[in-house]
């Protein structure tokens, strides 16, 4: 992965809106910040909402992050992008058809060209 592709997004603690940029944390603190690429301002974020960029974009050019919910327009499948700690890889976890099925993210995006980001797991209503 290129160094420019190592980026994150998270929800700001101040207003709950998404911010994308560089992840910043201090060794003596549990606080986490993200420095926004566009305006170079650093905002505190909710650490539980930090999502890393996968290096891939959807068919509309939107970046795909771990935790994003994507849809395969060819099949109508709704999928959460996850990190598989055991296998040390990105996976696609199917949420509707084939529920519970997980396939490697790299294989999925190489075979399916009509993918769109439809949300993020942290945007789900409670």
């Amino acid at each position: 992965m290129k160094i420019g592709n190592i980026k994150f997004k998270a929800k700001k603690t101040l207003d709950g809106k998404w911010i994308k940029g560089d992840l910043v944390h201090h060794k003596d603190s549990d606080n986490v910040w993200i420095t926004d690429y566009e305006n170079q301002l650093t905002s505190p974020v909710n650490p539980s909402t930090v999502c890393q960029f996968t290096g891939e974009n959807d068919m509309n050019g939107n970046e795909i992050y771990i935790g994003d919910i994507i849809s395969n327009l060819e099949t109508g499948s709704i999928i959460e992008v996850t990190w598989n700690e055991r296998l040390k890889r990105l996976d696609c976890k199917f949420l509707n058809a084939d529920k519970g099925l997980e396939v490697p993210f790299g294989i999925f995006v190489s075979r399916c060209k009509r993918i769109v980001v439809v949300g993020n797991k942290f945007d789900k209503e409670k």
Side-chain angles (χ1 to χ4, degrees), residues 5-63:
N5 282 347
I6 302 173
K7 50 189 160 187
F8 300 86
K9 75 176 183 179
K11 291 207 167 211
K12 295 188 281 184
T13 56
L14 301 175
D15 61 11
K17 293 182 180 177
W18 287 105
I19 182 173
K20 295 179 183 180
D22 291 324
L23 189 65
V24 181
H25 51 81
H26 191 273
K27 67 179 181 170
D28 297 328
S29 172
D30 291 334
N31 296 331
V32 179
W33 300 267
I34 287 188
T35 301
D36 188 333
Y37 291 129
E38 293 178 16
N39 59 28
Q40 296 300 307
L41 294 175
T42 301
S43 297
V45 297
N46 180 340
S48 68
T49 66
V50 173
C51 304
Q52 186 172 357
F53 180 48
T54 64
E56 297 288 343
N57 294 353
D58 72 4
M59 64 184 273
N60 298 321
N62 299 313
E63 296 172 335

Side-chain angles (χ1 to χ4, degrees), residues 68-83:
D68 278 349
I69 307 298
I70 58 177
S71 178
N72 178 351
L73 297 179
E74 295 163 3
T75 64
S77 297
I78 304 296
I79 300 139
E80 180 183 341
V81 180
T82 63
W83 173 251

Side-chain angles (χ1 to χ4, degrees), residues 94-111:
F94 286 74
L95 302 177
N96 60 353
D98 301 322
K99 190 170 184 159
L101 175 67
E102 293 188 22
V103 299
F105 178 76
I107 292 172
F108 182 80
V109 297
S110 69
R111 293 185 179 165

Side-chain angles (χ1 to χ4, degrees), residues 105-125:
F105 178 76
I107 292 172
F108 182 80
V109 297
S110 69
R111 293 185 179 165
C112 302
K113 301 302 178 201
R114 297 191 61 218
I115 301 169
V116 293
V117 175
V118 295
N120 186 283
K121 70 179 185 177
F122 299 113
D123 291 333
K124 290 182 181 178
E125 291 185 25

